[in-house]
Amino acid sequence: VEPVLYKQGQNIVVMCEGRVTENQISTLNSLGLLSDNSVDYAMYAGALVLVAAILALMAVLLRHFCPDVYFDGKRLAILYLAAVLTLALGYLAKSVQLLYLAPLVLPYMLLTVTLGALPAFITGLSTTLVASLMLSGSGGTSADVINLHIISSFSGALSVLLLNNRYQRSFLLFTGALVGFANFLIIFATGLMGSMSMTNPTNKALWALAGGVINALLCLSLQPAVESLFNLPTPMRLLDLTNPNHPLMRRLLLEAPGTYHHSI
């Protein structure tokens, strides 16, 4: 029997060229050395308990610190929509083996400009914890998952700080650039601590930089849709109405100039 080594993802697989008997297969399977089609129910049960604990803590924090959001079905729907969308996009990034493109800062940014800083931080942190569980065991290493958790928490807090009480949509792009730069520095620094080569940390840092910019672009495109779909009177949406080129404002100026100037 000739052993053959080949690489599959992050694992080195040993194959033996030759005839393997049924008895040998059952012996290897009984020792837990073969991957069969059995479902690891214990793993799913543990993950379910952890996710339930995270969601319960998030609900308690929202009820205590953000009762206006917790008892408002419309705002609560926006909150969970942002979390589910972030996890879905994170799973997509996992499936294409580009973990650092996962837009885990999206709930921090989107909820800050629609619901406020505190619900954004609570939801963003909870989503980051759930995403860390979801992304573990993917094509990346455990260090990659830890790095994602670090940059998501740090960059999320930074984006909440920058976007709080900022009412210009263009400022989202500036925030995305800063978030991407922060991601780059964190991944590059942590990569240098554990790598002898400069290539791998640089590649991951560049993907993290792109991920930060993608967060801003997604937020910039989703924010008007969320405001219109849920009819939110956000400061940014109200500022759009002060544009003198708005059709309603132009008609008001022509037909009722006194009311127009009073409204301004």
Side-chain angles (χ1 to χ4, degrees):
V1 178
E2 294 279 339
V4 178
L5 301 179
Y6 72 97
K7 190 173 183 182
Q8 184 179 19
Q10 300 291 325
N11 303 318
I12 301 297
V13 180
V14 181
M15 292 294 291
C16 295
E17 292 183 351
R19 185 173 181 275
V20 182
T21 65
E22 224 176 278
N23 190 26
Q24 290 170 329
I25 293 177
S26 61
T27 302
L28 291 173
N29 196 26
S30 64
L31 293 174
L33 298 178
L34 296 181
S35 297
D36 52 17
N37 295 325
S38 61
V39 179
D40 191 351
Y41 292 104
M43 181 189 70
Y44 286 107
L48 182 62
V49 171
L50 288 175
V51 171
I54 293 170
L55 294 178
L57 179 61
M58 182 181 75
V60 171
L61 291 174
L62 287 173
R63 180 184 175 91
H64 185 74
F65 293 106
C66 311
D68 56 329
V69 175
Y70 183 81
F71 291 104
D72 188 337
K74 181 172 64 175
R75 295 175 185 268
L76 204 60
I78 297 172
L79 187 145
Y80 282 109
L81 179 63
V84 171
L85 180 61
T86 301
L87 293 176
L89 293 175
Y91 185 80
L92 179 62
K94 169 185 173 180
S95 64
V96 297
Q97 303 295 319
L98 294 174
L99 290 181
Y100 289 97
L101 280 183
L104 302 184
V105 185
L106 179 61
Y108 293 95
M109 301 178 73
L110 182 60
L111 295 178
T112 298
V113 297
T114 53
L115 299 182
L118 193 53
F121 186 77
I122 293 173
T123 307
L125 189 59
S126 303
T127 306
T128 299
L129 292 172
V130 176
S132 299
L133 295 174
M134 183 185 71
L135 296 177
S136 61
S138 60
T141 63
S142 58
D144 290 328
V145 177
I146 294 173
N147 287 341
L148 275 175
H149 184 78
I150 293 173
I151 63 174
S152 300
S153 303
F154 180 85
S155 300
L158 178 64
S159 63
V160 169
L161 183 64
L162 291 173
L163 291 175
N164 189 31
N165 296 326
R166 300 279 185 173
Y167 304 136
Q168 293 78 24
R169 296 187 195 275
S170 58
F171 197 77
L172 278 170
L173 294 176
F174 174 72
T175 302
L178 286 182
V179 165
F181 184 67
N183 291 350
F184 180 89
L185 289 180
I186 293 173
I187 297 303
F188 189 74
T190 54
L192 290 179
M193 293 170 59
S195 176
M196 297 298 292
S197 172
M198 294 287 291
T199 304
N200 197 33
T202 304
N203 290 337
K204 291 182 178 180
L206 289 174
W207 283 117
L209 172 63
V213 177
I214 287 175
N215 280 285
L217 294 176
L218 286 173
C219 182
L220 197 61
S221 59
L222 289 173
Q223 182 192 353
V226 171
E227 291 172 346
S228 299
L229 182 63
F230 293 93
N231 196 27
L232 287 179
T234 61
M236 288 187 182
R237 191 180 183 195
L238 294 175
L239 276 176
D240 290 340
L241 295 178
T242 64
N243 183 4
N245 293 322
H246 192 280
L248 180 61
M249 300 300 286
R250 291 171 64 90
R251 181 182 174 190
L252 194 64
L253 176 61
L254 294 174
E255 299 183 14
T259 304
Y260 169 82
H261 291 292
H262 178 71
S263 301
I264 292 296

